[in-house]
Amino acid sequence: MDRRRVLTGAAAIGASALTAGVVPGVPVASASAGTSGSWRAGLARLHEAMAARVARRELPGIVYLVAHRGLLHVDTIGTLTLDGHEPMRRSTPFRMASMTKPIIAAATMMLVEEGLLALDEPVDRLLPELANRRVLTRIDGPIDQTVPAARPITVEDLLTFRMGHGMIFEPGFQPPYPIITAADELQLVMGRPDPGTPHDPDEWIRRYGTLPLMYQPGRRWQYNTGSLVLGVLIARAAREPLEKLLRKRVFRPLGMNHTGFSLSRADASRLPGLYMANSQTGQLELQPSSRPEEWTRPPAFPSGAGGLASTIYDYLAFSRFLLNQGVHHGRRLLSAESIRLMTTNHLTPRQLADAGPFPLTGRGWGYGMAVSVTPDEVSQPGRYGWEGGYGTSWFNDPHRDLTAIAMTQTVDFWSNGVYDEFERLAAAVDTPR
């Protein structure tokens, strides 16, 4: 399977001292002369590996961090564009793609705790367009061959991606089944985030409501659509646009001042080039979509599945808020129980098997993010996080107090081995107990 296509459905080597960086508002210890040799050696191995990737022109550049037991290391390597002169910086903004999903899930849980939503309630109350669902008799069949849904879609169905609709990965990516072509004709943009749908949220959900579900609600895990619908739902629940909701409840409280569905002109001008390798030559090529100027204006449809841009420090603030069980700077923004629900696998063994080898790759699913369910070379079960198809990744390992975030804008991050190498080496970095 072409992982690049699925996830889009998403040079000069900059010098970086191997010392801890300090993020305003994030309590960390500095790396001093007493820092353990294993910490320094692990960071050196990680830097050498990422720098070698940039030197081989597999990436124009990368910004990454590792935070472990009070120590924080941030590294910047390479440039914003191939053969460019502007270096990657700690403040560089990145298109987040699917790393938007965990943020939308957190905002949903805030509304649940405020009493504006309930996990077990049907979405019909706020999304009447999705009342009285019908379900295809077979996934590749005509869209008018349906049966009634056995039950309504619930809020938790959207969070766990078990609403009965999503992307199809087998026998190929988004095959030309009638349900797929109908969504394309309606310009719903159910796969890759760019170019975005021209419809505003109300028109988008109206059009989506004309389609049947692929499977009965609750039966099967399917990627992406749940977060698209969730973005419309929570905006209606809060009675305010999604951008305003996120800014009020998530971005401002966490100090995520450079995160949004659009960016200031200054921030947009610093977006790295978006690259993907030519399938014939193997050489990275600048992609025409998601140009910096497009990010200076709000989109018609703010996508809860993949529409945000952010910086590595902003996303660190969000990840530490989860790792700290919903507390930021001594202020509780979410209950520990909500964090537990978000970061616990909710899929049954049968649903895990039906999900196939990709994109979960053996992991389970919480609310808006993956959760490891078996030991692997990165961690024991319980690691949670997610990836973005334009070349970003994040995970928290709560058992080790470990956070790792990598940000590039190279789609091939997923297929050329950089992603796997980064996660493995970041997880191997250790600090003294």
Side-chain angles (χ1 to χ4, degrees):
M1 178 180 295
D2 188 343
R3 299 183 76 189
R4 300 177 307 156
R5 188 182 174 205
V6 168
L7 282 163
T8 56
I13 298 177
S16 175
L18 294 179
T19 58
V22 178
V23 180
V26 179
V28 294
S30 63
S32 64
T35 303
S36 91
S38 61
W39 166 257
R40 290 178 178 271
L43 292 177
R45 286 191 294 271
L46 178 57
H47 175 86
E48 290 167 4
M50 296 299 101
R53 297 281 188 169
V54 173
R56 293 197 296 267
R57 297 175 69 84
E58 296 173 11
L59 307 166
I62 185 171
V63 180
Y64 66 83
L65 68 78
V66 180
H68 193 208
R69 300 193 188 114
L71 290 178
L72 172 66
H73 171 75
V74 183
D75 203 352
T76 62
I77 303 172
T79 52
L80 300 184
T81 57
L82 281 178
D83 302 317
H85 301 290
E86 187 67 25
M88 288 283 184
R89 302 181 188 277
R90 296 180 178 190
S91 60
T92 296
F94 292 83
R95 305 162 187 85
M96 300 303 295
S98 289
M99 279 171 60
T100 300
K101 291 175 171 70
I103 293 175
I104 293 296
T108 302
M109 295 308 293
M110 291 175 181
L111 298 188
V112 169
E113 292 193 356
E114 291 176 27
L116 298 177
L117 290 170
L119 290 173
D120 60 355
E121 75 167 302
V123 301
D124 306 7
R125 175 175 66 87
L126 292 168
L127 300 177
E129 298 91 342
L130 301 188
N132 304 313
R133 291 289 81 202
R134 300 201 54 94
V135 182
L136 290 173
T137 56
R138 69 174 201 268
I139 188 67
D140 59 348
I143 62 172
D144 59 355
Q145 292 186 7
T146 62
V147 296
R151 64 166 176 82
I153 301 166
T154 67
V155 174
E156 188 173 51
D157 288 334
L158 300 181
L159 287 162
T160 60
F161 284 11
R162 294 183 291 191
M163 66 172 291
H165 189 283
M167 294 167 69
I168 300 173
F169 297 99
E170 298 293 343
F173 176 67
Q174 296 292 79
Y177 296 161
I179 188 68
I180 299 295
T181 57
D184 290 343
E185 290 167 0
L186 291 171
Q187 297 179 287
L188 295 177
V189 188
M190 309 301 292
R192 56 186 302 159
D194 294 306
T197 177
H199 308 305
D200 66 24
D202 288 342
E203 177 62 13
W204 186 92
I205 200 70
R206 185 193 71 77
R207 292 184 176 221
Y208 176 70
T210 67
L211 299 175
L213 297 177
M214 296 174 177
Y215 296 98
Q216 289 286 348
R219 174 186 164 190
R220 189 181 181 104
W221 184 88
Q222 283 187 280
Y223 189 57
N224 210 57
T225 306
S227 288
L228 291 169
V229 175
L230 203 56
V232 182
L233 176 75
I234 64 175
R236 287 190 180 179
R239 298 184 178 181
E240 56 192 4
L242 185 58
E243 171 89 33
K244 184 176 180 180
L245 181 165
L246 294 180
R247 196 153 303 284
K248 180 191 300 183
R249 288 172 169 81
V250 182
F251 302 155
R252 192 173 297 133
L254 292 178
M256 299 172 66
N257 298 320
H258 299 280
T259 303
F261 293 108
S262 59
L263 300 172
S264 68
R265 289 191 177 277
D267 280 351
S269 69
R270 297 185 296 111
L271 281 168
L274 180 60
Y275 286 87
M276 186 168 68
N278 182 295
S279 60
Q280 302 299 317
T281 67
Q283 302 300 306
L284 291 183
E285 294 180 348
L286 184 66
Q287 301 300 297
S289 59
S290 195
R291 297 185 303 275
E293 58 268 24
E294 296 174 28
W295 284 87
T296 62
R297 53 186 181 272
F301 181 82
S303 170
L308 290 174
S310 188
T311 66
I312 202 162
Y313 283 163
D314 275 14
Y315 215 88
L316 173 63
F318 174 73
S319 66
R320 296 304 291 188
F321 148 74
L322 296 179
L323 204 56
N324 291 334
Q325 297 295 300
V327 175
H328 180 71
H329 289 337
R331 177 188 174 194
R332 180 163 292 283
L333 302 177
L334 261 182
S335 69
E337 175 62 13
S338 287
I339 300 297
R340 186 191 70 79
L341 288 170
M342 290 177 63
T343 59
T344 299
N345 171 51
H346 294 275
L347 304 188
T348 67
R350 174 62 183 271
Q351 288 168 339
L352 285 170
D354 287 346
F358 190 79
L360 285 181
T361 56
R363 295 169 292 177
W365 193 255
Y367 290 171
M369 67 191 80
V371 182
S372 66
V373 292
T374 58
D376 57 31
E377 63 179 350
V378 177
S379 76
Q380 294 298 307
R383 177 180 84 253
Y384 60 84
W386 197 230
E387 297 88 46
Y390 287 156
T392 57
S393 74
W394 153 70
F395 74 79
N396 279 347
D397 183 350
H399 303 300
R400 296 181 58 204
D401 190 21
L402 173 67
T403 296
I405 306 173
M407 293 191 175
T408 79
Q409 300 284 244
T410 302
V411 174
D412 302 84
F413 182 69
W414 305 106
S415 58
N416 62 12
V418 184
Y419 162 70
D420 294 326
E421 185 174 43
F422 170 77
E423 292 218 324
R424 177 174 52 80
L425 291 176
V429 172
D430 204 2
T431 58
R433 293 183 181 275

